[in-house]
Amino acid sequence: MADGPLMESHTVLFVLIAVGLDGLAGLAGGVLSERWLHQRLPALVAFAAGTLLSAVFLEVLPQAVEVQGAATFTWAFASFVALALLEWALGHHPHHAEAAAGHAHGHHAHPGTPTLPVTLLASDALHNVGDGAAVAAAFLVSPQAGIATAFAVIVHELPQEVGDYALLRAAGWSRGGSLVALAGVQLTAAIGAAGVLLGTRMLPSLQGTVLAIAGGSFLYIGAVDLLPEMRRGPDARQRLVGFLCGLLLIGGLHFAEAFTGGHG
Ligand SMILES: [Zn+2]
C-alpha cells in the first residue's frame, strides 16, 4: 500500500512513466512502417485482447474487490453497459482493428460512415482520461497491478492509434498535424491520472471505484471490440499466437509475483 511519502513519490513516478509511454503510443500510426503493420496488425490486435482480458481477471478486478468489496461488480457492470450503450448511440466507432486493418490493406475502412476528425479526437481524449485514471488507481493499489494495467492500456492503444492516424490522413490532415494531434490527445491520460492521485486523498474509496469501472470497460474493449477480430480473415495462427502472448505477458507477471510472494 502506498502510504509513506517514499512509496508515494515512487507511485507518482511510475504513473508518469506509464502515461509518457502511453503518449508515445499515439505516434504508432505514423512511425511504424505500413509494411510491418500490414503483416503484424492482426497479431497486435489479438495481443491487445489477451493483455486486456488477463489484466481484467488477474489484476484489475481482484484488486478492486480487495479495496471495494462486492460493489466492484456493480461498478464494472455499469461501465460495461454504459460502453455498450455509448457505442450504440454514437454509431459504431471505427475502432482499433477495423480502421487499422483498412489502413494496412490500403483502403478506407468505413466508406459509408466517415468519422469527423474532431469527434474522433474528442472521444479519444475522453477514453484516454479513463485509461490514465485506471493506471493511476492500479499503481496506488500495487506496483504489479499498475504495471499490468499500464501494459494493457499501452498495448490496446497501439492498434487504436494506427486506425486513428489512418482516418486523420484520409480526412486530409498532414502527417505532422495528425501525429501532434494524436500524441496530444493521448496525453489527456495525464488528466485522469492526476485526478485519481489527487482525488484519492480526499476520497479514499475513489481508487476502488476507478479500478472497478476500468475492469468493466477493459472487459468490454477486450471481449466486444477486439476478441471478435480473432475470428476474421487470414493469419489465424498469427492471431492465436498474439492472443496467447498477451495472456502469457500478464499471466507471467501475475504468477511470477505470486511465487516470489510479492502480494497476495
Ligand atoms: Zn485506451
Side-chain angles (χ1 to χ4, degrees), residues 96 127-128 131 153 156-157 160 218 221:
H96 320 269
H127 171 95
N128 288 323
D131 278 354
V153 162
H156 89 259
E157 286 303 311
Q160 162 91 51
F218 287 1
I221 296 168

Side-chain angles (χ1 to χ4, degrees), residues 80-98:
F80 189 98
V81 171
L83 275 183
L85 292 176
L86 195 69
E87 207 162 79
W88 175 76
L90 294 178
H92 185 66
H93 180 55
H95 233 28
H96 320 269
E98 293 157 55

Side-chain angles (χ1 to χ4, degrees), residues 130-151:
D131 278 354
V135 167
F139 272 115
L140 282 173
V141 172
S142 79
Q144 184 199 352
I147 290 168
T149 307
F151 266 124

